[in-house]
Amino acid sequence: MRKYWRCHVCNDIHFGIKAPGICPTCLQKDAYVEVSAQEARGVMSVIETTVDKAAYADAIQVFAAGREFRVNPDRERVDLLLEGMFNNEGNHGLKYCPCRMIEKDFEKDLALICPCNFLNHDTYQDREDGECWCGLFIKRRNDE
Amino acid sequence: MSKLVMFHGRECPHCRKMMPLVDKMIEEEGVEIEKLEVWHDEKNADTMRSHRDLITAKCGGQLRVPTFLNTETMDLFCGEVEYEELVDWAKR
């Protein structure tokens, strides 16, 4: 079961089964202590960050850089998908994929937040022309 | 509800691509099909979720849009297909 962990040096928050051995923010070794969800939320509320569509478009480019997939070069498609994701975040709380429907099972629906774990999906895995279901990410060709 | 249903999402590119084909089929083949947008209409979303087991079994374990469902025979597919395949499904 995943828990919340806080770096006692820099207050970095981690959500996972176990604490990181080295804090990625301050590089301190063995620095995490388990904390409550309330404390984790409290620490994270210190800084309010926003990621608008343009910032998210940049973020997914960084995410895909140097990997076996890239962001679809079809700008119109990407813009439509971003519009859907941000509408879903506004209407349903999270940036759910516009090409699938939530089941109203929160844990299960976490798998639909973009970027999802599409690498093991039938539309991507073992396919030369693999892509995530919505087509936001597509597998690079060998010459790319 | 009509016998044939298309569950779609307003901002889904697959759905946008299929919509003109569905409209063409309605016009040229006289097929009746109900279009239910699911991301901006909770009632439609609930209708789609009521077919969860059936849809997920044939759509990679997910409630993907577009999903085309014959509510009488429960024959369904999801995603993009050629026009001929769409008509074939509708007339089966």
Side-chain angles (χ1 to χ4, degrees):
Chain A
M1 182 182 154
R2 291 195 288 177
K3 299 171 180 174
Y4 292 99
W5 310 85
R6 181 180 65 81
C7 170
H8 78 102
V9 175
C10 71
N11 285 318
D12 187 274
I13 296 293
H14 176 73
F15 178 53
I17 292 173
K18 62 179 184 178
I22 298 173
C23 173
T25 301
C26 69
L27 305 180
Q28 182 70 31
K29 274 183 75 177
D30 302 326
Y32 283 83
V33 62
E34 185 184 337
V35 296
S36 66
Q38 185 182 355
E39 183 173 327
R41 275 195 297 271
V43 170
M44 287 190 288
S45 70
V46 170
I47 300 171
E48 279 295 325
T49 61
T50 55
V51 177
D52 61 14
K53 280 183 211 166
Y56 189 69
D58 290 342
I60 57 177
Q61 290 289 356
V62 171
F63 171 66
R67 304 188 68 172
E68 66 176 37
F69 54 85
R70 63 176 181 148
V71 177
N72 198 319
D74 182 344
R75 187 69 213 193
E76 200 177 324
R77 185 186 193 97
V78 171
D79 286 346
L80 179 62
L81 288 166
L82 289 176
E83 188 187 335
M85 279 178 235
F86 277 78
N87 283 341
N88 287 345
E89 187 170 43
N91 297 330
H92 303 280
L94 289 166
K95 257 189 231 68
Y96 294 117
C97 175
C99 300
R100 288 171 287 171
M101 173 49 29
I102 49 175
E103 296 195 30
K104 282 193 170 171
D105 175 332
F106 185 71
E107 283 284 328
K108 214 169 171 184
D109 292 338
L110 290 176
L112 270 62
I113 304 172
C114 180
C116 68
N117 184 18
F118 57 87
L119 299 179
N120 62 7
H121 286 178
D122 58 320
T123 56
Y124 185 90
Q125 204 173 33
D126 303 325
R127 292 180 59 154
E128 274 184 34
D129 60 347
E131 57 182 49
C132 67
W133 173 248
C134 71
L136 181 64
F137 297 103
I138 58 175
K139 201 173 273 187
R140 292 180 198 272
R141 297 193 307 263
N142 288 334
D143 59 345
E144 286 182 303
Chain B
M1 191 162 71
S2 174
K3 183 179 94 165
L4 301 179
V5 178
M6 173 194 190
F7 295 109
H8 67 100
R10 188 197 296 170
E11 300 95 351
C12 162
H14 300 298
C15 305
R16 289 234 174 156
K17 197 163 176 187
M18 288 306 293
M19 202 57 82
L21 303 188
V22 171
D23 290 339
K24 182 181 172 188
M25 179 174 73
I26 292 169
E27 194 175 321
E28 291 186 0
E29 305 291 332
V31 167
E32 282 186 29
I33 180 167
E34 195 168 2
K35 303 170 192 169
L36 300 179
E37 203 288 330
V38 294
W39 271 118
H40 298 272
D41 188 311
E42 203 53 29
K43 194 177 163 202
N44 291 346
D46 283 339
T47 302
M48 184 177 189
R49 283 190 282 262
S50 73
H51 298 288
R52 176 189 287 111
D53 292 346
L54 197 65
I55 297 171
T56 56
K58 290 195 176 177
C59 299
Q62 302 166 336
L63 292 177
R64 293 172 171 172
V65 287
T67 288
F68 295 85
L69 171 67
N70 182 324
T71 58
E72 281 184 9
T73 65
M74 296 303 169
D75 183 20
L76 74 90
F77 71 91
C78 54
E80 295 176 30
V81 295
E82 298 295 327
Y83 180 67
E84 292 71 22
E85 279 183 73
L86 178 67
V87 174
D88 182 53
W89 163 80
K91 294 191 168 181
R92 274 204 289 268

